[in-house]
Amino acid sequence: MEYFLELFFGGLTRGSIYALIALGYTMVYGIIELINFAHGEIYMIGAFTGLIVAGVLTAMGFPALAILAVALVVAVVYCSAYGYTMEKIAYKPLRGANRLSPLISAIGMSIFLQNYVLLAQTPNFLPFPNLIGEFEFMEDYAHILGSANLVIILVTAAAMVALTLFIKYTRMGRAMRATAQNRKMAMLLGVNVDAVISLTFIIGSSLAAIGGVLIACHTGQINITIGFIAGIKAFTAAVLGGVGSIPGAMLGALVLGFTESFATGYISSDYEDVFAFGLLVLILIFRPSGLLGKAPTQKV
Amino acid sequence: MKTLMKGLVLSLALVLGAGPALADTIKIGVAGAHSGDLASYGLPAVNAAKLVAEKVNAQGGVNGMMVEVQAEDDQCKPEMATNAATKLVSDKATVIIGHICSGATKAALPIYKAANLVVMSPSATNPPLTKSGEFPNFFRTIATDDEQGPALAAFAANKLNLKKVAIIHDKGDYGKGVAEFCKAAMEKAGKVKVVLFEGIGADQVDYAAVIQKIKQAGAEGVVYGGYHPGASKLISQMRKKKIAIPFLTDEGVQGPDFLKLAGNDAEGAYATGLIDVSGNAMYKAAAEAHQKAFGTAETGLFFAQAYAATQSLLNAIDKAKSTKYEDIMKALHTETADTCLGKIKFNAQGDAQAEGVGFSVYQVKNGKWELNK
C-alpha cells in the first residue's frame, strides 16, 4: 500500500508539471484553434529569465523566497511580451489563411526561438537553484512529495480554477468565449477581437513563464531543449483531456502522469512512453475529442 | 595564342602538382570535430599532433623526414567525416590521427582501409571498431566502453561490498552499453545481485516512480549508465527523497558539468574516468610545451591520448624505417612505443595496452573529482 501511495504521488508530481504547461496550450487552442508549438519555447525562455534574475539577486544577497517572487514577476512580464509580439508577428498576418499556415508558422517560431536562445545564451545545461527550498512541515513527507512538487500542484490547481472563473464570469472572459464561437459575429457585435486574442496569448505566456520557473526549481537544470520536450508531453496531455478544455488539460495531464508512474512502478520504465501513448490512442478511439472535449458541432 | 594557352595550362598543372606532399615529409592527417558543438573534443588532438611534430622536427625529424600536420574538420558528423577522409587520402597523408567520435570514425574507416592508411583514434571508444576485426588498419589509444562496466562491477563488489544494486541507464547507445556490460560482469562474478535493470528517459522532468522502485527493490547502490544531465537529475531527486545509497556512474558523467548541475547532491558519487596521467614526465613536458605554444596548461579532452597516438605512429615509422602501410602495420604490432601514457603496445585487434590506458574510479569530495585509491 505504501508503495502504491508513493507511486501515486510520483504520478501526481509528473501530472501537475504537465498540467501547468498544458493549460497554456489548451487555452490558446480554445480561443483561436491554433496549436501554438512555440508555447514550449516561451516556457523555456521563462526558465532562462528566472535563472538570470535569480543569479543577479542571489549575488545581491536577497532571501530565496523574495528571489522566487521577483523571478516569477520578471519572467511573467518578459514572457508576456514575447507571447504578445509573437502573435503579432507570426500569427496575426495569417489569421485569414487556411489552418495549416499558422501551424507551420508556429513550428517556425519554435525553431527560431530555440536557436535564438542557443546563440544568445548557451547550448549547455545550466544548474537552476532551488528557489522554493524545503519547507519544514514537509520534512516528514519529503520521501514521497518534495516541497517544490507541492507548490507546483497548488499553483496548477489555482491557475485552473482562476482561468475557469475568469472565462465564465468576467466581461473579458465572455468576449473570449464569443470570439471562440464565431470570430466574425463577435467582431460585428463590437468585441475587440484583436485585443481578446492578444490577451489570450499574454495569459498563456504568463502561465508558461510561471511553469518555467517552478518546474526548473524541481528539475534543478535547464537548457534550450526543455521547452520542446515538455511541450510534446503537455500537448499530449491537452489532447488527452480534450484540447480547448481547461479542466480537460488538467485531467489529461494527471491521467498521463499516473499512467507513466504506475507503468514504471509495476511494469518497467522502459515502457512508460509505450503505455502513455498507447493510452492516448485508446482514449482517442473511444472519445475522439478527448476526455472532456466537446464534439465539434456541425454548422449547417 | 595556342602555344601560350598550352604553356599556361602546363605551368598551372606544374604548380598545382607541386603543392601538396613533398616526397620526403611525413604528413599526419588529423581528422575530428574542429568546429561546432563538439569542437572541444577535437581541437586538443590537433594541438597535440602539432606539438609532437614540432618537437620531432627540432630533433631532425623521423628518418631524416620532416613531419607536417594537416587538420580536417568533420564536426563529428559521419557525412562530413567521409569528406574529410577523402580529402586526406587525396592529399597523400602518411598516417591518420582520428577521428574523434565513434560514429564519424566508423563512417570514415572504409575509405582509409581502401587507401591502405593506418588510422589511430585518441577518443573513439565504441568497442566493435577494433573488436569486429573489420578494420585491421584501425588502432586506438583509449580504453573501450565495454571496459567501464566491468570496472564498475568490480568496484561495487570489492570496494563497496554491495550485495544488491539497481542498474539504471538512459536508453542511449552509450549508457545502455555501460549498464549492460556492468550487469553481465556482476552476474558472472556472482558477488552482487542486480535487483533492478531499467532505462529512464534522460529528458524526463521527474524520476519519482523509478526512485521508489529502487527503494522497493532493496538496492544498496545505484549504477547509472549515461551522461551528466540525466545523472545529476537522478542523484538530486534521490537525495531529496532521502535515499543516501552509493551512486556509481560512468565517464560520460565524470566531468565538471555533473558537479555544477548536481551541486551538493553530487558529494560522494563515484564514477569511472580515464586514468590520470598528469604525473607522467612526458605528459608534463607536453603540457609545458602546450603552455608555451597556446598560452595555457589546460590541455583539454583527449590531448594525452592524441599526443600518445602521434608518438606511437612516429615511433612505428621510425622503427620500420619506411612509410609503407605494411611496414608501419608490422612495426605497430611488434614494437613498443614510449609515450605520455606509458609504454604502449597494441594487441592484435589494435587496442593500446599501457598503464595509462584504462579506467580508474573517482569520487566527488568537497565538490571535486578525486581519485579513489
Side-chain angles (χ1 to χ4, degrees):
Chain A
M1 188 61 199
E2 202 195 329
Y3 185 50
F4 175 84
L5 270 183
E6 286 166 352
L7 291 179
F8 176 84
F9 280 105
L12 190 64
T13 307
R14 247 191 207 193
S16 56
I17 288 173
Y18 296 154
L20 197 46
I21 310 168
L23 282 176
Y25 256 111
T26 211
M27 189 176 150
V28 168
Y29 184 88
I31 309 296
I32 60 167
E33 295 195 342
L34 164 76
I35 295 165
N36 182 13
F37 278 107
H39 187 72
E41 266 52 61
I42 298 285
Y43 156 82
M44 178 264 295
I45 290 172
F48 268 90
T49 315
L51 180 63
I52 293 166
V53 172
V56 173
L57 292 188
T58 309
M60 289 163 68
F62 281 83
L65 276 178
I67 297 176
L68 178 67
V70 179
L72 280 173
V73 170
V74 176
V76 162
V77 171
Y78 197 67
C79 287
S80 300
Y82 261 96
Y84 176 84
T85 319
M86 182 168 77
E87 194 269 326
K88 291 285 179 241
I89 292 174
Y91 305 141
K92 195 180 169 198
L94 297 172
R95 220 174 267 165
N98 75 37
R99 289 185 51 163
L100 274 181
S101 307
L103 193 71
I104 299 297
S105 183
I107 294 173
M109 205 65 209
S110 159
I111 296 171
F112 169 80
L113 287 176
Q114 226 181 80
N115 284 283
Y116 160 68
V117 178
L118 177 127
L119 293 173
Q121 298 289 329
T122 161
N124 297 330
F125 277 88
L126 298 172
F128 197 98
N130 185 0
L131 300 172
I132 296 173
E134 301 298 328
F135 303 138
E136 254 172 57
F137 67 91
M138 287 293 289
E139 187 69 29
D140 295 341
Y141 309 102
H143 63 289
I144 47 171
L145 192 69
S147 303
N149 305 140
L150 183 72
V151 172
I152 291 172
I153 293 169
L154 293 178
V155 168
T156 312
M160 187 199 70
V161 171
L163 272 184
T164 312
L165 292 179
F166 174 77
I167 287 176
K168 270 212 169 126
Y169 297 111
T170 64
R171 211 179 141 77
M172 198 63 197
R174 203 183 314 140
M176 276 181 174
R177 275 180 293 146
T179 310
Q181 278 175 8
N182 191 329
R183 197 182 300 155
K184 223 172 245 169
M185 194 64 200
M187 214 186 302
L188 286 175
L189 292 176
V191 173
N192 185 348
V193 172
D194 281 345
V196 167
I197 293 177
S198 289
L199 185 72
T200 309
F201 270 87
I202 288 174
I203 296 177
S205 303
S206 307
L207 284 172
I210 294 171
V213 175
L214 293 183
I215 294 166
C217 285
H218 169 65
T219 57
Q221 54 179 269
I222 59 172
N223 98 331
I224 54 153
T225 59
I226 55 166
F228 178 74
I229 290 153
I232 287 183
K233 278 290 166 70
F235 177 58
T236 310
V239 172
L240 199 60
V243 70
S245 155
I246 285 168
M250 182 104 180
L251 182 66
L254 288 178
V255 168
L256 192 64
F258 286 133
T259 312
E260 287 182 350
S261 187
F262 288 122
T264 299
Y266 290 116
I267 304 159
S268 166
S269 58
D270 288 308
Y271 296 104
E272 63 177 14
D273 286 344
V274 178
F275 284 99
F277 288 93
L279 182 81
L280 177 73
V281 171
L282 267 184
I283 287 181
L284 291 185
I285 288 173
F286 293 107
R287 283 195 65 93
S289 48
L291 289 171
L292 297 185
K294 287 192 199 84
T297 45
Q298 287 290 327
K299 286 171 189 159
V300 186
Chain B
M1 192 62 197
K2 233 180 191 175
T3 42
L4 187 64
M5 280 297 281
K6 258 188 199 161
L8 260 176
V9 169
L10 199 68
S11 57
L12 254 180
L14 275 175
V15 169
L16 285 178
L22 292 166
D24 53 353
T25 61
I26 295 171
K27 184 185 274 187
I28 303 181
V30 184
H34 304 151
S35 67
D37 302 355
L38 300 175
S40 62
Y41 286 20
L43 287 173
V46 182
N47 295 345
K50 279 186 185 155
L51 289 177
V52 177
E54 229 169 72
K55 197 172 161 204
V56 169
N57 288 341
Q59 292 163 358
V62 178
N63 296 334
M65 292 183 283
M66 289 292 129
V67 180
E68 63 172 304
V69 173
Q70 179 178 347
E72 288 298 333
D73 186 13
D74 70 6
Q75 292 189 7
C76 270
K77 291 177 181 155
E79 67 276 12
M80 289 183 71
T82 53
N83 289 345
T86 313
K87 177 103 198 304
L88 286 171
V89 169
S90 67
D91 285 354
K92 305 219 173 349
T94 319
V95 286
I96 308 292
I97 302 282
H99 293 213
I100 297 300
C101 294
S102 292
T105 310
K106 200 173 171 189
L109 274 176
I111 297 171
Y112 296 125
K113 193 184 170 190
N116 276 340
L117 276 180
V118 172
V119 182
M120 194 177 286
S121 172
S123 60
T125 53
N126 179 256
L129 287 175
T130 49
K131 296 189 179 170
S132 68
E134 205 183 323
F135 303 107
N137 61 327
F138 180 66
F139 296 81
R140 60 181 147 203
T141 49
I142 190 164
T144 54
D145 288 345
D146 54 357
E147 287 165 41
Q148 283 193 73
L152 284 169
F155 187 79
N158 305 331
K159 281 281 178 70
L160 299 178
N161 287 320
L162 301 179
K163 297 278 172 283
K164 293 196 270 183
V165 300
I167 301 181
I168 309 289
H169 61 84
D170 68 353
K171 302 188 196 179
D173 281 348
Y174 174 75
K176 197 173 179 195
V178 170
E180 275 172 349
F181 281 114
C182 181
K183 182 171 178 239
M186 282 176 173
E187 277 165 357
K188 203 172 150 209
K191 276 190 187 165
V192 189
K193 202 169 156 233
V194 179
V195 289
L196 185 68
F197 184 86
E198 288 204 2
I200 54 178
D203 44 25
Q204 283 291 1
V205 286
D206 182 78
Y207 293 142
V210 85
I211 291 170
Q212 303 296 4
K213 209 172 174 183
I214 292 170
K215 200 170 87 178
Q216 181 79 358
E220 294 164 0
V222 173
V223 177
Y224 179 80
Y227 297 100
H228 58 90
S232 50
K233 250 187 292 186
L234 183 62
I235 195 171
S236 288
Q237 294 188 15
M238 269 172 55
R239 300 301 186 236
K240 259 186 211 156
K241 293 203 185 303
K242 315 230 165 280
I243 299 178
I245 56 180
F247 188 88
L248 290 80
T249 179
D250 56 42
E251 199 237 328
V253 177
Q254 196 261 343
D257 290 334
F258 174 70
L259 303 176
K260 252 195 308 188
L261 289 180
N264 286 337
D265 295 327
E267 209 57 35
Y270 300 95
T272 44
L274 294 176
I275 289 177
D276 183 19
V277 290
S278 58
N280 181 298
M282 220 176 259
Y283 177 80
K284 277 185 191 157
E288 253 171 52
H290 190 279
Q291 167 85 42
K292 253 185 225 151
F294 307 107
T296 165
E298 281 289 318
T299 50
L301 274 169
F302 309 126
F303 174 85
Q305 284 73 19
Y307 199 88
T310 318
Q311 286 178 315
S312 309
L313 286 171
L314 292 179
N315 175 66
I317 294 172
D318 181 36
K319 297 268 169 69
K321 304 213 180 312
S322 152
T323 53
K324 277 206 195 104
Y325 173 69
E326 294 77 20
D327 299 335
I328 300 177
M329 284 288 282
K330 197 175 155 222
L332 279 172
H333 280 300
T334 52
E335 303 289 345
T336 309
D338 208 5
T339 72
C340 68
L341 297 178
K343 287 195 189 317
I344 286 190
K345 266 188 95 105
F346 289 93
N347 67 9
Q349 293 166 322
D351 285 316
Q353 314 288 311
E355 57 177 305
V357 179
F359 292 101
S360 3
V361 176
Y362 293 79
Q363 186 181 21
V364 182
K365 276 184 187 156
N366 304 320
K368 272 193 197 124
W369 287 108
E370 276 181 22
L371 191 65
N372 188 290
K373 279 168 197 141

